[in-house]
Amino acid sequence: MILSLGSSLPKFKELTFHAGLNVVLSTRADGSNEGKTRNSAGKSSFAELVQFLLGADCDKDDLFRKKALVDETFRGTFRIAGREIQVERSGSAFGRIGMAAEVAEQLGLPWKQDKGSGATSISTADWNQYLGHAMFGLPSALKGSAYGVSYTPSFRPMFSYFARRDRSAGFISPERQAEMQQRWDWQENLSYLLGLDWRISHDLHNVRQRERMLKELKKAAKGGALGDIIGTSAELRPQVVLARDKATKLGERLARFEVADSYRELSAEAAAAKAEMQAIARRAVVLNETIEYLRNAIEGERSGSPLVDVERLYEAVGVELPGLVVQRRREQVAAFQASVLANRRAHLTEEIARAEGELALGEQRSTALEVTRTRILAILRSGGALDDFIDLQRLLAEAEAEHAALQERLRSAEALEQETTQLDVERGHIKLRLSANLRDKQSHIEDAMLLIGGAIGELYKGDRSGGFEVEATDNGPEFRISIQGDSGGGISNMEIFCLDFALFTIWQRKGMGPGFLIHDSRLFDGVDPRQILKALELGKATADIHKGQYIACLNSDVLNSLSEETNIVWEEAIVEPTLSDREDGGLFGFRFD
């Protein structure tokens, strides 16, 4: 619950709240044009202040970092999990929440003391973590839990369904409390708030991320950055067949080639020498690359090889590229990378020395083999029988190498294409899990359906029908509230009211949640006065039953349009002092740009 709000601003309108219905009322001065005032009466600023004190982000464009407010301190007293807690915050120190040391210790929160002022404070991160635990049952320590990683339910987005912000365009649709809220965010957080398994939506978000990466990889493989390295399976299959046929025919010709016995023995020796020299040369390439890699690693430079980027892209979607040069090089330096953390520079230097030594020995051996091979070839050429044989060997080696390279590219292309199928399968499994979860948690869904359906019935007294649906789709859970005749405007706003009202009631019944629901006057724009009054009565009834607060911001002309036939005692509901759009009548006591 909110008990009070205050500020160091001399003319700030300090507000005190009570259980039940609280109406923050704003009057309009005669002849004023609210649309042209700079700060208006501050009704929207009221919700911003509550969010600010309860740990909201405070970017450079935030209200409380404006020049007129940045050095001012704002305070609030709240009852959270049965404790009365007073906090302070300012735009100039937005990363800290002022709190008495003894209170922080009671809450189990680490605090710091300012050496100059002696004031004690906690971090906004610790404050948000505590609020998530106290209000919504999240772990008291997020690190190491399922909620300690990115893209999981958290306090800030869940709380914002209880205090929507006009500044964040929170009144666009029921399921989104901010215009920029992503699908995974509202799916996971609403699932959590409604008692469903949020991990299903979390897993689906991971699939979406892999699908986005896969889409980019496919573009690259179709003539983009990876076109020459991978290609497509449709293009590569005929190339593999032709290369294999070419190598087979050359192999058959070579098998039929006849050389005199004396030549055959020498030819075999020459071929062995050449094979060993080629092996040494291939090893030298690897050693030189390794040496260059190690030297760059010592200097802290990044190689910049496009193959490294290819490897990272494929690792991001879990696609293996068996046999590519990228993978082989990675395996060769894997042991090196594992030892870097222990003794980086010493080990790198040792590895460079070892590689250079092996390279020198290889060069010596290759020189000796070249001498032997040159001598043998001179003897063979004198007989005139080796030229064709050697040419066939060279052509066969080239054909076999081309065939092997094309096979590797084909395997990579097929793996890339198979990943699409795998992701489709995973989406299907996730949808099955979601359907099963909706069946298992039917009682939770029915509870929300009854609350929302009942609210629609009370708001429109049978004039309009509507309800709440939760559907398992390939793209995750869809939460839909519909009221007959919805074409935007006031009816859409009442759909938002119904969802917020249901969440407020559900968590009040649990004895958890913030203990309050705030609705800015923006929610009531275009709404018939009859529905506005019914919404206030519904909020009051739930707040009274569960000893919570329904806080509504209203303009005086809207209040005056409401029927007098109500159980609401306005003198008790209206929070003093009332606000106005006069120069000193707003929440902050003055206007500013």
Side-chain angles (χ1 to χ4, degrees):
M1 288 180 62
I2 305 173
L3 302 181
S4 65
L5 298 174
S7 172
S8 61
L9 284 166
K11 294 185 178 181
F12 183 86
K13 303 298 186 298
E14 298 201 2
L15 303 175
T16 301
F17 299 87
H18 51 77
L21 175 64
N22 293 255
V23 176
V24 179
L25 187 64
S26 171
T27 61
R28 186 178 300 180
D30 293 339
S32 70
N33 183 346
E34 189 171 352
K36 295 183 180 179
T37 57
R38 288 167 288 179
N39 186 45
S40 189
K43 299 185 302 301
S44 296
S45 300
F46 161 69
E48 291 290 335
L49 176 56
V50 173
Q51 288 271 9
F52 181 66
L53 291 171
L54 292 180
D57 291 339
C58 187
D59 58 39
K60 64 180 181 179
D61 297 322
D62 193 87
L63 173 67
F64 298 97
R65 290 180 67 180
K66 290 185 178 296
K67 185 177 180 180
L69 300 179
V70 67
D71 293 323
E72 303 296 338
T73 299
F74 297 89
R75 62 181 177 274
T77 303
F78 303 88
R79 183 173 293 119
I80 301 170
R83 296 177 183 270
E84 190 170 308
I85 303 172
Q86 181 172 310
V87 296
E88 294 183 347
R89 194 181 184 190
S90 69
S92 59
F94 58 86
R96 307 294 297 178
I97 302 292
M99 179 181 291
E102 58 270 21
V103 175
E105 290 176 354
Q106 290 172 5
L107 302 181
L109 301 175
W111 55 273
K112 291 183 179 180
Q113 186 172 35
D114 184 79
K115 293 180 180 179
S117 65
T120 56
S121 65
I122 62 172
S123 71
T124 53
D126 287 338
W127 181 226
N128 279 314
Q129 182 168 264
Y130 167 77
L131 292 173
H133 174 65
M135 292 186 182
F136 299 114
L138 296 175
S140 57
L142 295 178
K143 187 176 182 180
S145 75
Y147 302 85
V149 297
S150 300
Y151 310 112
T152 56
S154 59
F155 169 70
R156 292 299 331 153
M158 286 195 285
F159 173 72
S160 291
Y161 287 101
F162 296 79
R164 292 180 186 254
R165 307 162 79 177
D166 191 31
R167 176 174 175 265
S168 302
F171 298 98
I172 292 178
S173 65
E175 71 275 10
R176 289 190 296 161
Q177 40 75 10
E179 183 177 20
M180 302 304 293
Q181 190 177 17
Q182 299 297 309
R183 172 174 286 272
W184 71 265
D185 192 304
W186 59 258
Q187 284 184 333
E188 290 188 27
N189 286 287
L190 276 180
S191 293
Y192 184 95
L193 288 171
L194 292 170
L196 304 177
D197 187 354
W198 62 269
R199 292 169 296 185
I200 297 173
S201 296
H202 178 73
D203 292 343
L204 179 59
H205 175 63
N206 290 335
V207 169
R208 290 193 197 102
Q209 288 185 307
R210 289 165 59 195
E211 286 173 338
R212 282 193 289 270
M213 290 295 296
L214 185 61
K215 184 178 180 180
E216 294 302 317
L217 286 169
K218 284 184 175 181
K219 286 182 180 178
K222 291 179 181 179
L226 305 181
D228 295 335
I229 299 175
I230 302 175
T232 65
S233 61
E235 297 169 345
L236 289 168
R237 285 193 186 96
Q239 295 180 42
V240 169
V241 171
L242 293 174
R244 182 179 65 233
D245 182 65
K246 179 180 179 181
T248 300
K249 289 178 178 179
L250 285 171
E252 291 172 351
R253 286 179 60 191
L254 191 62
R256 294 192 300 267
F257 198 92
E258 293 292 338
V259 181
D261 290 342
S262 59
Y263 290 117
R264 189 178 298 280
E265 292 175 2
L266 291 173
S267 174
E269 186 177 350
K274 181 179 179 181
E276 187 175 352
M277 290 169 63
Q278 289 174 333
I280 292 171
R282 287 193 297 271
R283 179 60 179 164
V285 171
V286 174
L287 288 171
N288 280 319
E289 290 178 346
T290 301
I291 290 169
E292 181 182 0
Y293 181 89
L294 295 175
R295 285 174 176 165
N296 289 339
I298 290 176
E299 297 171 1
E301 296 178 354
R302 182 166 178 259
S303 67
S305 168
L307 293 179
V308 176
D309 293 333
V310 173
E311 181 189 12
R312 185 182 302 111
L313 290 173
Y314 278 86
E315 286 181 347
V317 292
V319 178
E320 293 187 359
L321 304 180
L324 281 181
V325 174
V326 173
Q327 181 64 21
R328 292 197 295 269
R329 188 173 302 165
R330 180 171 181 255
E331 293 172 353
Q332 290 168 355
V333 300
F336 159 72
Q337 291 175 326
S339 66
V340 167
L341 294 176
N343 196 339
R344 181 176 181 82
R345 186 171 295 277
H347 186 68
L348 292 177
T349 303
E350 181 181 349
E351 286 296 303
I352 290 173
R354 183 192 63 77
E356 288 177 337
E358 184 179 347
L359 191 62
L361 290 175
E363 290 175 352
Q364 293 175 6
R365 175 62 178 164
S366 183
T367 300
L369 288 170
E370 179 61 28
V371 172
T372 300
R373 183 172 176 274
T374 300
R375 177 179 54 80
I376 293 173
L377 290 177
I379 295 172
L380 291 174
R381 285 198 179 95
S382 66
L386 188 62
D387 289 344
D388 292 341
F389 185 72
I390 291 176
D391 286 341
L392 276 176
Q393 283 185 319
R394 177 179 56 77
L395 292 172
L396 176 60
E398 291 174 353
E400 289 177 339
E402 182 182 5
H403 177 237
L406 286 169
Q407 279 186 313
E408 294 297 340
R409 291 177 62 188
L410 177 60
R411 290 191 190 102
S412 300
E414 288 175 338
L416 185 63
E417 293 163 4
Q418 288 169 4
E419 180 69 3
T420 300
T421 303
Q422 178 61 34
L423 289 173
D424 289 340
V425 170
E426 289 185 31
R427 268 188 178 271
H429 287 163
I430 288 172
K431 184 178 180 181
L432 290 175
R433 287 171 55 199
L434 180 56
S435 298
N437 182 240
L438 295 183
R439 290 193 299 271
D440 293 342
K441 301 297 183 180
Q442 184 64 27
S443 61
H444 296 278
I445 298 173
E446 289 177 355
D447 192 18
M449 287 177 174
L450 290 172
L451 286 168
I452 292 171
I456 293 172
E458 286 294 321
L459 288 170
Y460 293 97
K461 291 298 182 183
D463 291 340
R464 298 181 187 273
S465 61
F468 179 53
E469 299 176 1
V470 182
E471 182 184 1
T473 73
D474 292 334
N475 212 17
E478 293 290 342
F479 304 96
R480 289 190 293 269
I481 298 176
S482 60
I483 298 177
Q484 183 183 18
D486 175 13
S487 58
I491 296 178
S492 295
N493 287 357
M494 286 298 95
E495 291 172 353
I496 295 173
F497 169 84
C498 289
L499 177 63
D500 295 355
F501 166 77
L503 295 177
F504 173 57
T505 306
I506 288 168
W507 283 88
Q508 285 298 113
R509 287 174 178 175
K510 294 179 180 182
M512 298 182 69
F516 58 83
L517 174 62
I518 297 173
H519 277 149
D520 184 80
S521 59
R522 168 70 176 79
L523 181 72
F524 303 110
D525 288 350
V527 179
D528 187 282
R530 292 172 296 178
Q531 279 74 60
I532 296 175
L533 182 59
K534 284 298 179 183
L536 296 174
E537 290 175 345
L538 282 171
K540 178 182 184 304
T542 296
D544 288 343
I545 292 171
H546 299 289
K547 296 180 173 56
Q549 295 170 317
Y550 179 55
I551 304 173
C553 301
L554 291 179
N555 291 320
S556 58
D557 55 343
V558 173
L559 180 63
N560 293 334
S561 70
L562 304 182
S563 171
E564 295 180 359
E565 296 180 6
T566 179
N567 61 353
I568 298 175
V569 180
W570 297 112
E571 292 78 7
E572 297 176 358
I574 294 174
V575 176
E576 294 294 342
T578 59
L579 308 177
S580 76
D581 60 0
R582 295 191 302 269
E583 287 292 331
D584 60 350
L587 181 64
F588 301 110
F590 68 104
R591 292 181 181 174
F592 53 89
D593 293 326

